[in-house]
Amino acid sequence: MKFLISWLLLISCSHLGYGRLERIRLTKFDSLRRQLIGSRTPMEKYLKHNLQTKYNLQTKYNLIGGPVREPLTNCLDMEYYGEITIGTPPQKFKVLFDTGSSNLWVPSVKCRGCGAWHNQYNSSKSSTYKPNGTSIEIVYETGSMMGFLSTDNVAIGNIVAKNQTFAEATREPGMTFVAASFDGILGMGYSEIAVDGVQTIFDALVEQKVIDKPIFSFYFNRNTSDSTGGELILGGSDPKYYKGSFSYEKVTLKGYWQFNMDSVVIKGGSKFCPNGCEAIADTGTSLIVGPTQDIIAINMELGAKLIEDSVSQYAFECDKVASLPYVGFILGGKAFYLSAEDYVLKVSQWSSETMICLSGFQVLDSPLTIGPLWILGDVFLGKFYTEFDKGADRVGFAEAV
Ligand SMILES: *[C@@H]1O[C@H](CO)[C@@H](O)[C@H](O)[C@H]1NC(C)=O
Ligand SMILES: *[C@@H]1O[C@H](CO)[C@@H](O)[C@H](O)[C@H]1NC(C)=O
Ligand SMILES: *[C@@H]1O[C@H](CO)[C@@H](O)[C@H](O)[C@H]1NC(C)=O
Ligand SMILES: *[C@@H]1O[C@H](CO)[C@@H](O)[C@H](O)[C@H]1NC(C)=O
């Protein structure tokens, strides 16, 4: 049994004629981050400090228990899932495609408390099932997934990874997952960080030669009024989703999709991590997360204020958002700019019907933090169509259309 910390703080089929690209439609659903601004008890105040990542928040929520009374709906902070099938005949599952972890797990029919509305894998119903039985535990920011390994055929769209080992969860990592619209997680990080040394699905697809190129890419539709969530493309990327060409960053450490970032700049203002820092592209995280000092400084310079009673959650006055500067992420000498529209999350508070303009820059104050890592989540990946190139070990960014 091994542990792994995953950032997983978030997360698509049709066939294309050329180059055997497999398209998996991504569906989006409202954020899991049910927030509690305006509540009163000390515990709830404590919870308010942890807007940073939905799973992290939810862990604390689990530890504490008790109802979340002031849910916020969040129009920008969306999650994206797609459908896979496991076994013969196929059993369907909705999974988050997470580049910040490397295992596949789905709830097991043997799980008690996994949320009966979730699809649960029943190995007795599959003729291609092969038992394994090794126990597994994956530590997420919100809690642990526990279960055991099994092997079966896993289909993503029209392509199948045969004899794929995955985890049957007998315990889900926190209420977030129990309540989530998706059933499980499909990790798309490197095999190097796969718990129990299980080969990742993507590596299996490449090895079994069912995709032409060892490349996948994500397009996230950020239009909140459009029901199409986006697309995961296996085997390449689709020029219809981006302008210009990709700028590639070499993967510096295989595990997450990690690379070096030159700096972060506020246009017309300060520069952060001036000597470079490490960053990851993580479809499993909604926001942009970074080292505490830098994130605080960015929020202050942009004029975001701490939300009352919070130590880590910043918000803008909504009428000032239009005049906020661009924030640039300098990668390989090229600036990737986010506008305020990209990095401010407009959140409506149901009870009072007031809008809150949350900052998309989040402190990562988790005890699970490994080093001063920047996490470029969906706020960034939505603006920049991202290609994950396993063959050349590089990540490519191009402006999404
Ligand atoms: C799993 O499938 C078997 C075979 O169809 C069935 O007998 C069993 O009741 C199922 N288990 C559950 C918990 O649904
Ligand atoms: C999967 O396992 C079966 C039986 O163990 C074996 O016959 C088959 O060759 C394996 N397929 C792959 C692609 O490994
Ligand atoms: C279970 O799967 C793991 C990871 O693929 C493998 O190392 C191990 O040998 C398997 N064990 C059995 C009993 O099949
Ligand atoms: C967003 O999607 C809606 C519904 O499909 C469409 O009417 C609208 O034009 C889109 N907005 C933008 C900015 O593309």
Side-chain angles (χ1 to χ4, degrees):
M1 193 160 76
K2 236 164 91 185
F3 293 85
L4 167 87
I5 293 153
S6 171
W7 299 118
L8 186 89
L9 309 175
L10 229 227
I11 303 224
S12 340
C13 244
S14 57
H15 227 70
L16 192 81
Y18 64 90
R20 279 211 299 161
L21 293 179
E22 187 64 29
R23 293 158 180 279
I24 295 92
R25 179 183 291 280
L26 296 169
T27 306
K28 67 188 167 195
F29 56 95
D30 287 341
S31 170
L32 298 173
R33 302 185 311 129
R34 310 271 178 218
Q35 280 312 323
L36 352 118
I37 291 162
S39 51
R40 271 169 203 91
T41 69
M43 274 313 174
E44 284 164 329
K45 279 183 188 165
Y46 172 65
L47 285 176
K48 279 192 281 188
H49 302 165
N50 296 288
L51 265 171
Q52 71 208 33
T53 61
K54 42 192 162 301
Y55 298 114
N56 189 25
L57 166 85
Q58 207 63 44
T59 308
K60 286 165 188 171
Y61 173 60
N62 286 343
L63 293 175
I64 295 155
V68 175
R69 288 199 316 234
E70 295 269 352
L72 301 176
T73 51
N74 185 335
C75 340
L76 288 179
D77 178 16
M78 299 264 179
E79 289 161 18
Y80 302 82
Y81 64 81
E83 198 168 270
I84 63 164
T85 67
I86 304 181
T88 315
Q91 301 177 30
K92 284 184 184 173
F93 299 93
K94 289 174 189 153
V95 294
L96 296 187
F97 294 97
D98 174 28
T99 60
S101 65
S102 300
N103 288 79
L104 165 65
W105 65 263
V106 295
S108 173
V109 79
K110 298 178 177 97
C111 178
R112 274 154 218 242
C114 270
W117 48 89
H118 284 164
N119 297 309
Q120 300 179 328
Y121 174 72
N122 184 345
S123 56
S124 326
K125 286 198 167 132
S126 174
S127 63
T128 40
Y129 162 70
K130 297 179 192 76
N132 177 302
T134 306
S135 71
I136 185 166
E137 174 168 5
I138 305 178
V139 180
Y140 292 97
E141 294 255 311
T142 59
S144 292
M145 183 288 295
M146 288 185 186
F148 60 91
L149 299 182
S150 288
T151 300
D152 207 332
N153 294 348
V154 176
I156 308 182
N158 298 311
I159 58 177
V160 180
K162 292 198 171 126
N163 303 338
Q164 176 67 42
T165 301
F166 64 97
E168 288 191 47
T170 52
R171 198 182 97 184
E172 296 185 324
M175 275 311 292
T176 303
F177 286 89
V178 176
S181 345
F182 56 89
D183 305 310
I185 309 289
L186 192 153
M188 302 196 78
Y190 280 81
S191 287
E192 275 82 348
I193 58 164
V195 178
D196 283 1
V198 181
Q199 184 184 41
T200 61
I201 297 230
F202 193 71
D203 281 0
L205 293 176
V206 172
E207 193 180 284
Q208 293 175 22
K209 298 193 167 54
V210 287
I211 49 175
D212 289 343
K213 289 192 204 149
I215 296 174
F216 60 89
S217 53
F218 279 92
Y219 166 71
F220 295 124
N221 184 353
R222 291 174 307 144
N223 180 345
T224 48
S225 48
D226 194 335
S227 61
T228 308
E231 214 165 50
L232 158 62
I233 296 180
L234 297 172
S237 50
D238 188 340
K240 85 172 181 218
Y241 287 137
Y242 63 91
K243 288 188 272 216
S245 53
F246 283 109
S247 307
Y248 290 101
E249 304 313 313
K250 226 33 212 165
V251 168
T252 50
L253 182 64
K254 293 180 193 174
Y256 304 120
W257 287 88
Q258 184 169 336
F259 48 88
N260 188 262
M261 179 161 72
D262 302 346
S263 61
V264 178
V265 294
I266 294 179
K267 201 166 187 183
S270 300
K271 191 185 220 181
F272 302 90
C273 89
N275 304 313
C277 41
E278 291 292 291
I280 64 172
D282 186 4
T283 58
T285 294
S286 308
L287 306 173
I288 290 171
V289 178
T292 308
Q293 298 289 327
D294 290 342
I295 295 292
I296 290 175
I298 289 171
N299 277 317
M300 302 229 331
E301 187 162 330
L302 293 173
K305 298 212 170 62
L306 268 176
I307 291 178
E308 200 186 331
D309 295 329
S310 167
V311 293
S312 66
Q313 183 57 50
Y314 290 81
F316 299 97
E317 286 171 40
C318 287
D319 59 0
K320 302 226 168 105
V321 168
S323 58
L324 288 173
Y326 284 85
V327 176
F329 296 79
I330 317 298
L331 301 169
K334 187 172 184 280
F336 293 81
Y337 283 112
L338 294 184
S339 68
E341 221 168 81
D342 303 317
Y343 65 75
V344 176
L345 291 87
K346 292 201 178 82
V347 175
S348 61
Q349 200 176 352
W350 286 344
S351 58
S352 63
E353 288 176 20
T354 52
M355 288 298 273
I356 293 175
C357 288
L358 290 177
S359 168
F361 295 98
Q362 299 285 310
V363 172
L364 184 66
D365 59 0
S366 157
L368 303 180
T369 306
I370 314 169
L373 207 55
W374 285 76
I375 304 176
L376 306 185
D378 296 348
V379 162
F380 186 87
L381 304 177
K383 173 96 174 199
F384 301 104
Y385 181 62
T386 309
E387 184 181 274
F388 298 83
D389 185 343
K390 198 77 208 307
D393 293 318
R394 61 184 188 172
V395 187
F397 299 104
E399 192 171 341
V401 294

